[in-house]
Each structure stands twice: as C-alpha cells, then as structure tokens.
Amino acid sequence: MQRMLKIGIVCYPTYGGSGVVATELGKALADQGHEIHFITYSQPVRLGAAHKRIRYHEVNVSDYPLFFYPPYESVLASKMVDVVKYENLDLLHVHYAIPHASAAITAKMVLAQEGIYLPVITTLHGTDITLLGKDASFEPVISFAINQSDAVSAVSQSLKNDTYKLFGINQEIEVIPNFLNAEHQTAPSSNELRSEYALPEEKVIVHMSNFRPVKRIIDVIEIFERVHHAIPSKLILLGDGPERTRAEQKCRELGINDLVTFVGNLKQPQELLGIGDLFMLPSESESFGLAALEAMAAGLPVISTNTGGLPEVNRHGVTGMMSDVGDVEDMAKNCIYLLSDEKRLIKFKDQARKRAEDFSLEKILPLYEKLYQTVLERV
Ligand code: GMT
C-alpha cells in the first residue's frame, strides 16, 4: 500500500504558471490522501475552498527601518524549519529556484544540525532558468541550490537542456510536464456567455498570460489587427501585468479597442477559454506553456512561437501552428488559415482537445509521487 506523506509545498502564490502548477499539485495530492502544507507569503490564488488535508502557513517579513530590502529568503527558510519540525513533514517540494530552492537548502542545513533529515525536491519552471540563468548575479546560488536538492524536475525537455547549458549542474533532472486540473478536464462551454463577447458570425481569439514582456503581448495585438480584416472576430485578453497599459494604448492607436476585451485576472479562466475558437501565445521564451495546454483542453487550437518547450505541447499542423519569435505576419497567416475553413477548424479543435489528454492529472500525478518515493527510499 502507498504511504501517505506530509508534504510542504513552496511556490509563488500569484497568477503565473509555476504557482498554478504547485497549487493544483498540492490539491491533487491532498485528494489522494497526502497532507499538504503550503508555505508562501499569501494564499495561492488557485487554492480555493477549504480542504481537510491542506494547511496554509503565511510567511510574514516584519517592517524594520534598517531593512532597505526585506530579508524574505531568511524568513522563508526559518518558516520552513518551523513547519518541518512541528508538523513533522516528510519532505519539501519547492517550485522555482530563486529564492525557494535556495531557502529550502538553508532550512535543510539548519535542520541537519539538529539531526533532522529534510529531503528537498526542486521543480524548475522556466524563467528561473531561462531569464535569471543569463544573469551572472544569480548563477552561483541557483547552481548550488539545484545541486544540493535531493531531486530536481523540469517541466520540459527543453528546460532540462537549458538548465544543463546555463548552470554547472551535476544532478539528474527528471522531466515532468505541466498537467491539467479536474476543472479543465470537465469545463463546459456556454453559448450564452459567448454571445456576451461576440456576434454569432464572429470568431473569438483568446490570449492568456501575466502580460510580462516575455509574452510579447504587442505581437498578440498586431496579429489580431491583421486577422480581423480577413475574418470578423473579437480578441479576449485574460490576465494582467506590466505590459497591460502599453497593450491598451496599442489597441487605441490601431482603432481596434472596440474589438478587444481586457478581462483582467480570473481565478477560474476555463469558462472563458471555452468560448474561444483559437488561442495565441507568441512568447519570446516559454519553458512549457501551461496557458496553451489549458486552452487546448478547452478545444482551442494554438497559434504560438516555436520557442522552448512549446513544440513539446503544440503540434504544428495538428493542434495548432508555430512560427519564429516575432514573425507576426506568419502567425496572422496561420490564424486566417485555421479560422477561414470551418471543417479544418473543427478538426484542429478536436486534435487539440485530444492532445491535452496526454497531460491529464491521472498521467502526471504519479510521476511526482514516484519522485517523492525514490527520494524517501534513499533515506
Ligand atoms: O509564464 C510566466 O510568466 C509564469 C511562469 C512562472 O514561473 O510562474 O511560468 C513558467 O512556468 C509555467 C509552469 O511550469 C510554464 O508553463 C511556463 O511556460 C513558464 N513560463 C516561461 O517559461 C516564460
């Protein structure tokens, strides 16, 4: 019989793929019978309703006049030590290298002094490697934290390759892809909701992200500007972030603001994804592309770039189409190709939905549980 574990999960609680994956993983593990302790600075957005096997431990950094930079990493490590000791955790699973993996390694060393062995599992999500990895000021600490972890996973083969390329790693890295939660697997689409955003003869194009520069939101708008002349359509933008104002200005400048809805952040985006016909993700870099997977599960073919882990999710000519980063002409051409032929669009929608099943919770969850068991068997 499988042993039920007490697991600490550390993640960014905000909107963003790594926090979503960590939270959904914790919820799924709790459903399996494990006891989950989230350790973060605020309640993870996807945590939702209370669960009898989920606890949440908030990390509070006190405001002290001497601090120019609040010492979050030290407080986080101390909190980890406290929760591991007093809740008798079996292991810590940290998502994102900086500062979670490095704080976990500090906690591990503190606990070792007291004779407590703390296994640390680190999951790499993307920009902790692809963007921060290029910044020499982080490199020694990221390499150390990865090498000192008891097990490391990356969300795609591409991210695994980048990690070996950018850091001095002597650790085995296991690829465990992103997965879909139960709501995404069952979300129905609604004609009534669709009619609030578009006329029956219009197509609905959707983009969802945290509007960071890496998402190239201006490309989304430039592509849509080309598409709507050929295909009557509307653009729905889900999410929020630093590029939103620039994106709004761009829509006004192009005179398409009536065709574009900025919805903002949604805790449960699947209902709106479900009314779409096509999803756009023209990212500069993307280690996996959870948003694309969530869209595919809702039956939206994906027009994306061919960067990072995207080709491991989106199949060119099957579940969507891919282009080089910045090639807005090609992406607009691909959108028109898919939207202009109803039979072709339906075929792509079915294929996208089918491909998303490869990343179901049932398929991916056991990979994490196996990783935990492997680490614990070494004790
Ligand atoms: O994409 C973001 O900006 C958020 C970022 C994060 O770290 O939360 O997402 C990363 O992790 C996701 C979950 O593993 C991946 O699906 C995203 O592709 C990845 N983002 C990038 O690589 C830019």
Side-chain angles (χ1 to χ4, degrees), residues 137-170:
S137 50
F138 289 107
E139 191 280 325
V141 172
I142 295 183
S143 294
F144 177 75
I146 293 174
N147 285 332
Q148 293 297 311
S149 298
D150 295 85
V152 181
S153 73
V155 298
S156 62
Q157 183 62 42
S158 149
L159 183 60
K160 175 176 171 171
N161 298 345
D162 283 344
T163 309
Y164 284 126
K165 204 161 61 202
L166 293 165
F167 297 92
I169 302 302
N170 54 30

Side-chain angles (χ1 to χ4, degrees), residues 16-18 96 125 155 178 210 212 215 285-290:
S18 63
Y96 216 82
H125 282 274
V155 298
N178 287 175
N210 51 17
R212 286 201 285 159
K215 302 295 172 181
S285 115
E286 200 68 66
S287 68
F288 181 90
L290 179 61

Side-chain angles (χ1 to χ4, degrees), residues 197 204-207 234-238 259 261 263 272 275:
Y197 289 87
V204 177
I205 302 174
V206 186
H207 167 80
K234 292 277 168 59
L235 176 64
I236 297 182
L237 297 168
L238 291 171
L259 306 177
T261 308
V263 176
L272 261 190
I275 67 166

Side-chain angles (χ1 to χ4, degrees), residues 188-198 274-275:
S189 62
S190 144
N191 279 337
E192 202 183 315
L193 183 65
R194 193 185 195 284
S195 67
E196 287 170 23
Y197 289 87
I275 67 166

Side-chain angles (χ1 to χ4, degrees), residues 20 46 178-181 183-185 187-189 204-209 236 238 268-281 288-304 310 313-314 319-320 345 348-357 359:
V20 170
R46 288 255 182 121
N178 287 175
F179 57 90
L180 293 161
N181 69 14
E183 287 89 34
H184 277 103
Q185 288 173 270
S189 62
V204 177
I205 302 174
V206 186
H207 167 80
M208 174 168 73
S209 74
I236 297 182
L238 291 171
Q268 303 293 342
Q270 49 271 32
E271 218 196 340
L272 261 190
L273 284 172
I275 67 166
D277 292 295
L278 202 63
F279 188 77
M280 259 198 252
L281 196 62
F288 181 90
L290 179 61
L293 176 62
E294 292 186 336
M296 282 160 59
L300 277 69
V302 173
I303 297 296
S304 73
L310 282 170
V313 186
N314 191 15
T319 63
L345 182 61
F348 271 76
K349 284 184 174 187
D350 289 344
Q351 288 167 173
R353 219 179 264 114
K354 181 131 199 350
R355 168 81 180 135
E357 288 167 14
F359 302 94

